[in-house]
Structures are given as structure tokens and as C-alpha cells.
Amino acid sequence: MDYPFLDYTFYQLMATGVIAACASVTASSVPCAFSAAVNAIASVHYYLTRQALQTGADSAFETAVQLRYSDWAVTLPLMGIELHLLAEKLDPGYSPSFYPKELSAFALLCVVTLGAIWSFSKRRIIGFLCFAASCILMGSVLLNLLSNIDADRDLFLLFTLPWIGYPVVSIAEATLFRASPGFIAGLYAVLDLWSKAGLALAVSMRA
């Protein structure tokens, strides 16, 4: 079975990652470098997910979930740091009031890694709770940013808004659409294109 939208997502993430990587070199932009890393990892995730789903094996669903958590365990902390770095670039007076970017990244890494471990052991409900906690942490990162930055608030809102959709899709995955891993992967792909590819382009344009 073919999954053309996963192919499209793979190429779009890879292309925007290359654009961000080029911007990181030409403009010496650290946020662009983080964005390029995020998109590179996400591209690998979508390539492997497509390969797994194409086998049609009974284990394809679990493999897709495990790949997704492995992706999040790396990309979420990187995105948390990227957003803080972008805030510092856009607003020289920016200073986080709740906690430093390193602490938020470490917290995200711990929570999502725990989710990945439980997901690999097929304790799906614990993995889901860890993912829900990571969404709350990302929300706190955004609140930390918006409460301390005066420039480009709309930029942060636009590309962090998709995080509302991740827990919604995750709940649907656990209840309504378990038999349709391709459909669920497609929904996550839309969110990733919005939040990761979109943010990479925006960061590159401001490099």
C-alpha cells in the first residue's frame, strides 16, 4: 500500500531542513541550525514510518508509534531550545522568567524518553500520559516566551498552535482509529508540516 502524503511530508521536511541549514551557514544563525536538525530527524522518522507501514505487517502500527516517540524524544527538546534562541534573536531584551531554556529542554527530554520507553514495552497508556505531559511542558515553554517577548508574538503563536492538535490526534489514535495507522500518520504529518517545516521557513526568512 502506498502512502503518498508521507512521501510528500518527507520531501517537504527535508527541503525546508536544507533551506534552514543553508541559512544557518550564510547568516550564522543558531536557531536555523536547530531547525535544520529537527527537520532532518523528522525526515528520517517519516521515511522509516513509510517503510514500516508498507510492509503491511501486524506489527506496523506499533512500529509507527515507537518511531514517533523516538522522533519526539529528540526533536521536542531541540524545538524548545530553538524557540528560546529565536526569542533572544528577535528581542534583545528577552529573558525567560520561569526557567532557563536548558532546563525546559532537559525536562522535555526526560518526559518524552520515558514515553518512548513505555511505548517500546507496549504500555501505551503510560506512553500517552508522558506525551500529554510533554504537551503541557511545550505549552509552558510558549507561555514563558510570550510573557517575556515584545517582538513577533504572532510568529510564535502561528507555529506553536499545532501543538493543540497533537494530543487530540493521540486520543483519536488510542480510541477511534487504531485500525488505520496510515490515517493517523497522515494527521501527524499535517501537524509536523505546520509546526516543523513552517517554523523552519519562518526562521530562515528572519536569519
Side-chain angles (χ1 to χ4, degrees):
M1 184 176 181
D2 291 330
Y3 295 93
F5 196 72
L6 297 186
D7 291 337
Y8 174 79
T9 303
F10 165 75
Y11 287 115
Q12 286 297 316
L13 286 169
M14 187 167 60
T16 52
V18 169
I19 292 172
C22 292
S24 72
V25 174
T26 57
S28 299
S29 172
V30 178
C32 285
F34 273 86
S35 198
V38 167
N39 283 23
I41 294 164
S43 296
V44 173
H45 156 240
Y46 276 98
Y47 175 80
L48 295 175
T49 297
R50 179 183 177 278
Q51 295 295 102
L53 293 178
Q54 277 192 319
T55 64
D58 294 338
S59 60
F61 178 82
E62 293 298 337
T63 300
V65 172
Q66 291 163 3
L67 287 169
R68 192 175 304 128
Y69 273 99
S70 299
D71 175 345
W72 289 338
V74 182
T75 56
L76 272 174
L78 290 177
M79 290 183 73
I81 295 177
E82 177 190 355
L83 289 171
H84 280 292
L85 292 173
L86 183 59
E88 291 171 356
K89 181 178 178 63
L90 295 175
D91 188 348
Y94 167 75
S95 177
S97 58
F98 301 161
Y99 42 72
K101 57 181 177 292
E102 293 83 5
L103 179 58
S104 64
F106 178 73
L108 283 165
L109 175 62
C110 291
V111 170
V112 185
T113 299
L114 283 174
I117 292 171
W118 285 110
S119 176
F120 272 82
S121 66
K122 299 185 179 181
R123 302 290 182 87
R124 295 289 308 288
I125 185 62
I126 299 179
F128 172 76
L129 290 174
C130 288
F131 171 64
S134 74
C135 289
I136 294 172
L137 279 171
M138 280 299 286
S140 70
V141 168
L142 177 61
L143 181 61
N144 200 11
L145 290 169
L146 293 179
S147 62
N148 291 281
I149 190 172
D150 296 323
D152 284 315
R153 286 174 180 259
D154 292 343
L155 173 69
F156 289 100
L157 284 173
L158 177 62
F159 294 110
T160 53
L161 189 62
W163 284 100
I164 298 174
Y166 283 96
V168 173
V169 175
S170 187
I171 292 171
E173 177 184 13
T175 55
L176 302 177
F177 302 111
R178 184 176 172 81
S180 304
F183 178 74
I184 290 296
L187 292 179
Y188 280 120
V190 172
L191 295 172
D192 281 341
L193 284 173
W194 186 351
S195 62
K196 294 174 182 173
L199 182 60
L201 287 177
V203 171
S204 299
M205 291 173 62
R206 285 166 169 74

